PDB file of all heavy atoms in Angstrom:
ATOM      1  N   ILE A   1     -66.984   6.659 -47.274  1.00  0.00           N
ATOM      2  CA  ILE A   1     -67.824   6.386 -48.438  1.00  0.00           C
ATOM      3  C   ILE A   1     -69.251   6.831 -48.152  1.00  0.00           C
ATOM      4  O   ILE A   1     -69.951   7.341 -49.040  1.00  0.00           O
ATOM      5  CB  ILE A   1     -67.770   4.891 -48.790  1.00  0.00           C
ATOM      6  CG1 ILE A   1     -66.316   4.431 -48.939  1.00  0.00           C
ATOM      7  CG2 ILE A   1     -68.538   4.610 -50.076  1.00  0.00           C
ATOM      8  CD1 ILE A   1     -66.156   2.954 -49.218  1.00  0.00           C
ATOM      9  N   GLY A   2     -69.702   6.673 -46.902  1.00  0.00           N
ATOM     10  CA  GLY A   2     -71.030   7.133 -46.528  1.00  0.00           C
ATOM     11  C   GLY A   2     -71.203   8.631 -46.689  1.00  0.00           C
ATOM     12  O   GLY A   2     -72.300   9.107 -47.032  1.00  0.00           O
ATOM     13  N   MET A   3     -70.151   9.407 -46.454  1.00  0.00           N
ATOM     14  CA  MET A   3     -70.245  10.853 -46.662  1.00  0.00           C
ATOM     15  C   MET A   3     -70.473  11.171 -48.138  1.00  0.00           C
ATOM     16  O   MET A   3     -71.193  12.115 -48.475  1.00  0.00           O
ATOM     17  CB  MET A   3     -68.975  11.540 -46.163  1.00  0.00           C
ATOM     18  CG  MET A   3     -68.829  11.540 -44.668  1.00  0.00           C
ATOM     19  SD  MET A   3     -67.372  12.475 -44.132  1.00  0.00           S
ATOM     20  CE  MET A   3     -67.316  12.028 -42.400  1.00  0.00           C
ATOM     21  N   GLY A   4     -69.863  10.393 -49.013  1.00  0.00           N
ATOM     22  CA  GLY A   4     -70.137  10.563 -50.442  1.00  0.00           C
ATOM     23  C   GLY A   4     -71.587  10.265 -50.767  1.00  0.00           C
ATOM     24  O   GLY A   4     -72.210  10.941 -51.594  1.00  0.00           O
ATOM     25  N   MET A   5     -72.155   9.250 -50.102  1.00  0.00           N
ATOM     26  CA  MET A   5     -73.574   8.954 -50.279  1.00  0.00           C
ATOM     27  C   MET A   5     -74.450  10.102 -49.784  1.00  0.00           C
ATOM     28  O   MET A   5     -75.485  10.425 -50.381  1.00  0.00           O
ATOM     29  CB  MET A   5     -73.944   7.666 -49.551  1.00  0.00           C
ATOM     30  CG  MET A   5     -73.368   6.410 -50.146  1.00  0.00           C
ATOM     31  SD  MET A   5     -73.982   4.931 -49.292  1.00  0.00           S
ATOM     32  CE  MET A   5     -75.739   4.993 -49.681  1.00  0.00           C
ATOM     33  N   ALA A   6     -74.048  10.739 -48.683  1.00  0.00           N
ATOM     34  CA  ALA A   6     -74.798  11.887 -48.177  1.00  0.00           C
ATOM     35  C   ALA A   6     -74.789  13.030 -49.192  1.00  0.00           C
ATOM     36  O   ALA A   6     -75.806  13.713 -49.389  1.00  0.00           O
ATOM     37  CB  ALA A   6     -74.203  12.349 -46.851  1.00  0.00           C
ATOM     38  N   LEU A   7     -73.660  13.221 -49.856  1.00  0.00           N
ATOM     39  CA  LEU A   7     -73.587  14.250 -50.905  1.00  0.00           C
ATOM     40  C   LEU A   7     -74.532  13.911 -52.055  1.00  0.00           C
ATOM     41  O   LEU A   7     -75.204  14.791 -52.607  1.00  0.00           O
ATOM     42  CB  LEU A   7     -72.150  14.364 -51.404  1.00  0.00           C
ATOM     43  CG  LEU A   7     -71.847  15.505 -52.383  1.00  0.00           C
ATOM     44  CD1 LEU A   7     -72.024  16.862 -51.692  1.00  0.00           C
ATOM     45  CD2 LEU A   7     -70.419  15.378 -52.926  1.00  0.00           C
ATOM     46  N   ALA A   8     -74.604  12.618 -52.413  1.00  0.00           N
ATOM     47  CA  ALA A   8     -75.529  12.189 -53.469  1.00  0.00           C
ATOM     48  C   ALA A   8     -76.979  12.403 -53.050  1.00  0.00           C
ATOM     49  O   ALA A   8     -77.825  12.790 -53.867  1.00  0.00           O
ATOM     50  CB  ALA A   8     -75.280  10.721 -53.811  1.00  0.00           C
ATOM     51  N   ALA A   9     -77.286  12.161 -51.779  1.00  0.00           N
ATOM     52  CA  ALA A   9     -78.651  12.387 -51.290  1.00  0.00           C
ATOM     53  C   ALA A   9     -79.011  13.856 -51.340  1.00  0.00           C
ATOM     54  O   ALA A   9     -80.150  14.225 -51.694  1.00  0.00           O
ATOM     55  CB  ALA A   9     -78.781  11.848 -49.861  1.00  0.00           C
ATOM     56  N   LEU A  10     -78.078  14.715 -50.989  1.00  0.00           N
ATOM     57  CA  LEU A  10     -78.327  16.159 -51.058  1.00  0.00           C
ATOM     58  C   LEU A  10     -78.619  16.588 -52.496  1.00  0.00           C
ATOM     59  O   LEU A  10     -79.534  17.389 -52.743  1.00  0.00           O
ATOM     60  CB  LEU A  10     -77.117  16.913 -50.515  1.00  0.00           C
ATOM     61  CG  LEU A  10     -77.232  18.439 -50.486  1.00  0.00           C
ATOM     62  CD1 LEU A  10     -78.361  18.883 -49.575  1.00  0.00           C
ATOM     63  CD2 LEU A  10     -75.908  19.067 -50.044  1.00  0.00           C
ATOM     64  N   LYS A  11     -77.867  16.040 -53.440  1.00  0.00           N
ATOM     65  CA  LYS A  11     -78.103  16.391 -54.836  1.00  0.00           C
ATOM     66  C   LYS A  11     -79.450  15.869 -55.316  1.00  0.00           C
ATOM     67  O   LYS A  11     -80.141  16.539 -56.102  1.00  0.00           O
ATOM     68  CB  LYS A  11     -76.978  15.818 -55.708  1.00  0.00           C
ATOM     69  CG  LYS A  11     -77.129  16.148 -57.190  1.00  0.00           C
ATOM     70  CD  LYS A  11     -75.968  15.612 -58.006  1.00  0.00           C
ATOM     71  CE  LYS A  11     -76.140  15.983 -59.480  1.00  0.00           C
ATOM     72  NZ  LYS A  11     -75.008  15.489 -60.311  1.00  0.00           N
ATOM     73  N   ARG A  12     -79.856  14.700 -54.867  1.00  0.00           N
ATOM     74  CA  ARG A  12     -81.125  14.112 -55.324  1.00  0.00           C
ATOM     75  C   ARG A  12     -82.333  14.872 -54.783  1.00  0.00           C
ATOM     76  O   ARG A  12     -83.262  15.185 -55.531  1.00  0.00           O
ATOM     77  CB  ARG A  12     -81.204  12.644 -54.882  1.00  0.00           C
ATOM     78  CG  ARG A  12     -82.548  11.974 -55.190  1.00  0.00           C
ATOM     79  CD  ARG A  12     -82.561  10.544 -54.696  1.00  0.00           C
ATOM     80  NE  ARG A  12     -83.872   9.924 -54.826  1.00  0.00           N
ATOM     81  CZ  ARG A  12     -84.301   9.280 -55.903  1.00  0.00           C
ATOM     82  NH1 ARG A  12     -83.500   9.182 -56.957  1.00  0.00           N
ATOM     83  NH2 ARG A  12     -85.493   8.733 -55.942  1.00  0.00           N
ATOM     84  N   TYR A  13     -82.308  15.201 -53.505  1.00  0.00           N
ATOM     85  CA  TYR A  13     -83.504  15.746 -52.874  1.00  0.00           C
ATOM     86  C   TYR A  13     -83.526  17.282 -52.821  1.00  0.00           C
ATOM     87  O   TYR A  13     -84.596  17.863 -52.626  1.00  0.00           O
ATOM     88  CB  TYR A  13     -83.651  15.179 -51.462  1.00  0.00           C
ATOM     89  CG  TYR A  13     -83.896  13.689 -51.461  1.00  0.00           C
ATOM     90  CD1 TYR A  13     -82.929  12.798 -51.027  1.00  0.00           C
ATOM     91  CD2 TYR A  13     -85.105  13.169 -51.924  1.00  0.00           C
ATOM     92  CE1 TYR A  13     -83.157  11.429 -51.033  1.00  0.00           C
ATOM     93  CE2 TYR A  13     -85.334  11.801 -51.943  1.00  0.00           C
ATOM     94  CZ  TYR A  13     -84.359  10.941 -51.494  1.00  0.00           C
ATOM     95  OH  TYR A  13     -84.580   9.582 -51.517  1.00  0.00           O
ATOM     96  N   HIS A  14     -82.357  17.899 -52.985  1.00  0.00           N
ATOM     97  CA  HIS A  14     -82.303  19.366 -52.965  1.00  0.00           C
ATOM     98  C   HIS A  14     -81.372  19.856 -54.078  1.00  0.00           C
ATOM     99  O   HIS A  14     -80.333  20.466 -53.803  1.00  0.00           O
ATOM    100  CB  HIS A  14     -81.827  19.862 -51.605  1.00  0.00           C
ATOM    101  CG  HIS A  14     -82.696  19.407 -50.463  1.00  0.00           C
ATOM    102  ND1 HIS A  14     -83.891  20.029 -50.138  1.00  0.00           N
ATOM    103  CD2 HIS A  14     -82.551  18.374 -49.597  1.00  0.00           C
ATOM    104  CE1 HIS A  14     -84.444  19.411 -49.110  1.00  0.00           C
ATOM    105  NE2 HIS A  14     -83.663  18.401 -48.761  1.00  0.00           N
ATOM    106  N   PRO A  15     -81.723  19.588 -55.330  1.00  0.00           N
ATOM    107  CA  PRO A  15     -80.805  19.907 -56.430  1.00  0.00           C
ATOM    108  C   PRO A  15     -80.502  21.394 -56.571  1.00  0.00           C
ATOM    109  O   PRO A  15     -79.372  21.771 -56.885  1.00  0.00           O
ATOM    110  CB  PRO A  15     -81.534  19.359 -57.667  1.00  0.00           C
ATOM    111  CG  PRO A  15     -82.977  19.281 -57.264  1.00  0.00           C
ATOM    112  CD  PRO A  15     -82.975  18.970 -55.813  1.00  0.00           C
ATOM    113  N   GLU A  16     -81.490  22.251 -56.345  1.00  0.00           N
ATOM    114  CA  GLU A  16     -81.257  23.680 -56.489  1.00  0.00           C
ATOM    115  C   GLU A  16     -80.294  24.190 -55.425  1.00  0.00           C
ATOM    116  O   GLU A  16     -79.361  24.946 -55.708  1.00  0.00           O
ATOM    117  CB  GLU A  16     -82.591  24.437 -56.417  1.00  0.00           C
ATOM    118  CG  GLU A  16     -83.560  24.107 -57.549  1.00  0.00           C
ATOM    119  CD  GLU A  16     -82.970  24.445 -58.913  1.00  0.00           C
ATOM    120  OE1 GLU A  16     -82.183  25.425 -58.997  1.00  0.00           O
ATOM    121  OE2 GLU A  16     -83.283  23.734 -59.883  1.00  0.00           O
ATOM    122  N   SER A  17     -80.516  23.772 -54.188  1.00  0.00           N
ATOM    123  CA  SER A  17     -79.608  24.172 -53.111  1.00  0.00           C
ATOM    124  C   SER A  17     -78.212  23.602 -53.335  1.00  0.00           C
ATOM    125  O   SER A  17     -77.199  24.259 -53.081  1.00  0.00           O
ATOM    126  CB  SER A  17     -80.157  23.715 -51.762  1.00  0.00           C
ATOM    127  OG  SER A  17     -81.407  24.306 -51.493  1.00  0.00           O
ATOM    128  N   TYR A  18     -78.176  22.370 -53.820  1.00  0.00           N
ATOM    129  CA  TYR A  18     -76.888  21.722 -54.105  1.00  0.00           C
ATOM    130  C   TYR A  18     -76.084  22.547 -55.109  1.00  0.00           C
ATOM    131  O   TYR A  18     -74.922  22.878 -54.872  1.00  0.00           O
ATOM    132  CB  TYR A  18     -77.150  20.311 -54.633  1.00  0.00           C
ATOM    133  CG  TYR A  18     -75.920  19.556 -55.090  1.00  0.00           C
ATOM    134  CD1 TYR A  18     -75.152  18.826 -54.185  1.00  0.00           C
ATOM    135  CD2 TYR A  18     -75.537  19.557 -56.432  1.00  0.00           C
ATOM    136  CE1 TYR A  18     -74.033  18.130 -54.601  1.00  0.00           C
ATOM    137  CE2 TYR A  18     -74.424  18.866 -56.850  1.00  0.00           C
ATOM    138  CZ  TYR A  18     -73.676  18.151 -55.937  1.00  0.00           C
ATOM    139  OH  TYR A  18     -72.560  17.459 -56.355  1.00  0.00           O
ATOM    140  N   ARG A  19     -76.711  22.892 -56.218  1.00  0.00           N
ATOM    141  CA  ARG A  19     -76.001  23.683 -57.227  1.00  0.00           C
ATOM    142  C   ARG A  19     -75.695  25.081 -56.712  1.00  0.00           C
ATOM    143  O   ARG A  19     -74.639  25.645 -56.992  1.00  0.00           O
ATOM    144  CB  ARG A  19     -76.823  23.752 -58.511  1.00  0.00           C
ATOM    145  CG  ARG A  19     -76.848  22.454 -59.302  1.00  0.00           C
ATOM    146  CD  ARG A  19     -77.419  22.671 -60.692  1.00  0.00           C
ATOM    147  NE  ARG A  19     -78.831  23.081 -60.620  1.00  0.00           N
ATOM    148  CZ  ARG A  19     -79.844  22.228 -60.643  1.00  0.00           C
ATOM    149  NH1 ARG A  19     -79.608  20.929 -60.713  1.00  0.00           N
ATOM    150  NH2 ARG A  19     -81.089  22.656 -60.584  1.00  0.00           N
ATOM    151  N   GLY A  20     -76.639  25.654 -55.971  1.00  0.00           N
ATOM    152  CA  GLY A  20     -76.433  27.017 -55.491  1.00  0.00           C
ATOM    153  C   GLY A  20     -75.249  27.155 -54.560  1.00  0.00           C
ATOM    154  O   GLY A  20     -74.494  28.130 -54.635  1.00  0.00           O
ATOM    155  N   TYR A  21     -75.067  26.185 -53.683  1.00  0.00           N
ATOM    156  CA  TYR A  21     -73.969  26.255 -52.721  1.00  0.00           C
ATOM    157  C   TYR A  21     -72.649  25.780 -53.319  1.00  0.00           C
ATOM    158  O   TYR A  21     -71.615  26.449 -53.190  1.00  0.00           O
ATOM    159  CB  TYR A  21     -74.303  25.435 -51.479  1.00  0.00           C
ATOM    160  CG  TYR A  21     -75.326  26.085 -50.576  1.00  0.00           C
ATOM    161  CD1 TYR A  21     -76.582  25.524 -50.408  1.00  0.00           C
ATOM    162  CD2 TYR A  21     -75.033  27.265 -49.897  1.00  0.00           C
ATOM    163  CE1 TYR A  21     -77.525  26.112 -49.587  1.00  0.00           C
ATOM    164  CE2 TYR A  21     -75.974  27.862 -49.076  1.00  0.00           C
ATOM    165  CZ  TYR A  21     -77.225  27.284 -48.926  1.00  0.00           C
ATOM    166  OH  TYR A  21     -78.157  27.876 -48.110  1.00  0.00           O
ATOM    167  N   PHE A  22     -72.668  24.635 -53.961  1.00  0.00           N
ATOM    168  CA  PHE A  22     -71.403  24.016 -54.361  1.00  0.00           C
ATOM    169  C   PHE A  22     -70.818  24.571 -55.651  1.00  0.00           C
ATOM    170  O   PHE A  22     -69.643  24.328 -55.935  1.00  0.00           O
ATOM    171  CB  PHE A  22     -71.580  22.499 -54.483  1.00  0.00           C
ATOM    172  CG  PHE A  22     -71.695  21.793 -53.171  1.00  0.00           C
ATOM    173  CD1 PHE A  22     -72.886  21.197 -52.783  1.00  0.00           C
ATOM    174  CD2 PHE A  22     -70.623  21.727 -52.299  1.00  0.00           C
ATOM    175  CE1 PHE A  22     -73.003  20.555 -51.564  1.00  0.00           C
ATOM    176  CE2 PHE A  22     -70.722  21.084 -51.083  1.00  0.00           C
ATOM    177  CZ  PHE A  22     -71.918  20.491 -50.710  1.00  0.00           C
ATOM    178  N   SER A  23     -71.584  25.269 -56.451  1.00  0.00           N
ATOM    179  CA  SER A  23     -71.045  25.797 -57.701  1.00  0.00           C
ATOM    180  C   SER A  23     -70.168  27.026 -57.490  1.00  0.00           C
ATOM    181  O   SER A  23     -69.540  27.509 -58.437  1.00  0.00           O
ATOM    182  CB  SER A  23     -72.196  26.160 -58.656  1.00  0.00           C
ATOM    183  OG  SER A  23     -73.029  27.159 -58.084  1.00  0.00           O
ATOM    184  N   ARG A  24     -70.090  27.518 -56.278  1.00  0.00           N
ATOM    185  CA  ARG A  24     -69.282  28.703 -55.992  1.00  0.00           C
ATOM    186  C   ARG A  24     -67.802  28.324 -55.869  1.00  0.00           C
ATOM    187  O   ARG A  24     -67.454  27.380 -55.152  1.00  0.00           O
ATOM    188  CB  ARG A  24     -69.753  29.357 -54.700  1.00  0.00           C
ATOM    189  CG  ARG A  24     -71.217  29.784 -54.734  1.00  0.00           C
ATOM    190  CD  ARG A  24     -71.674  30.238 -53.373  1.00  0.00           C
ATOM    191  NE  ARG A  24     -73.105  30.580 -53.384  1.00  0.00           N
ATOM    192  CZ  ARG A  24     -73.782  30.947 -52.317  1.00  0.00           C
ATOM    193  NH1 ARG A  24     -73.171  31.021 -51.138  1.00  0.00           N
ATOM    194  NH2 ARG A  24     -75.071  31.239 -52.416  1.00  0.00           N
ATOM    195  N   PRO A  25     -66.900  29.072 -56.518  1.00  0.00           N
ATOM    196  CA  PRO A  25     -65.463  28.752 -56.428  1.00  0.00           C
ATOM    197  C   PRO A  25     -64.920  28.776 -55.014  1.00  0.00           C
ATOM    198  O   PRO A  25     -63.927  28.110 -54.711  1.00  0.00           O
ATOM    199  CB  PRO A  25     -64.812  29.844 -57.293  1.00  0.00           C
ATOM    200  CG  PRO A  25     -65.880  30.283 -58.232  1.00  0.00           C
ATOM    201  CD  PRO A  25     -67.169  30.165 -57.470  1.00  0.00           C
ATOM    202  N   VAL A  26     -65.578  29.527 -54.120  1.00  0.00           N
ATOM    203  CA  VAL A  26     -65.088  29.572 -52.744  1.00  0.00           C
ATOM    204  C   VAL A  26     -65.105  28.188 -52.101  1.00  0.00           C
ATOM    205  O   VAL A  26     -64.315  27.901 -51.195  1.00  0.00           O
ATOM    206  CB  VAL A  26     -65.940  30.579 -51.923  1.00  0.00           C
ATOM    207  CG1 VAL A  26     -67.369  30.071 -51.735  1.00  0.00           C
ATOM    208  CG2 VAL A  26     -65.291  30.854 -50.570  1.00  0.00           C
ATOM    209  N   CYS A  27     -65.998  27.305 -52.587  1.00  0.00           N
ATOM    210  CA  CYS A  27     -66.029  25.940 -52.051  1.00  0.00           C
ATOM    211  C   CYS A  27     -64.724  25.216 -52.322  1.00  0.00           C
ATOM    212  O   CYS A  27     -64.200  24.503 -51.451  1.00  0.00           O
ATOM    213  CB  CYS A  27     -67.203  25.169 -52.649  1.00  0.00           C
ATOM    214  SG  CYS A  27     -68.812  25.684 -52.037  1.00  0.00           S
ATOM    215  N   ALA A  28     -64.189  25.373 -53.537  1.00  0.00           N
ATOM    216  CA  ALA A  28     -62.918  24.726 -53.866  1.00  0.00           C
ATOM    217  C   ALA A  28     -61.791  25.289 -53.003  1.00  0.00           C
ATOM    218  O   ALA A  28     -60.938  24.537 -52.502  1.00  0.00           O
ATOM    219  CB  ALA A  28     -62.608  24.920 -55.346  1.00  0.00           C
TER     220      ALA A  28
END
């Protein structure tokens, strides 16, 4: 559950990087 919180922290403090990396289909 803490790893999910880390993902939320990444989205809060680095939203552009978050979208830039995770929006790529290669992540799935």
Side-chain angles (χ1 to χ4, degrees):
I1 307 177
M3 290 184 190
M5 291 185 65
L7 187 66
L10 181 62
K11 181 178 181 179
R12 174 181 173 88
Y13 295 109
H14 302 280
E16 296 300 328
S17 299
Y18 175 86
R19 287 192 296 269
Y21 286 113
F22 287 112
S23 61
R24 301 172 183 177
V26 68
C27 288

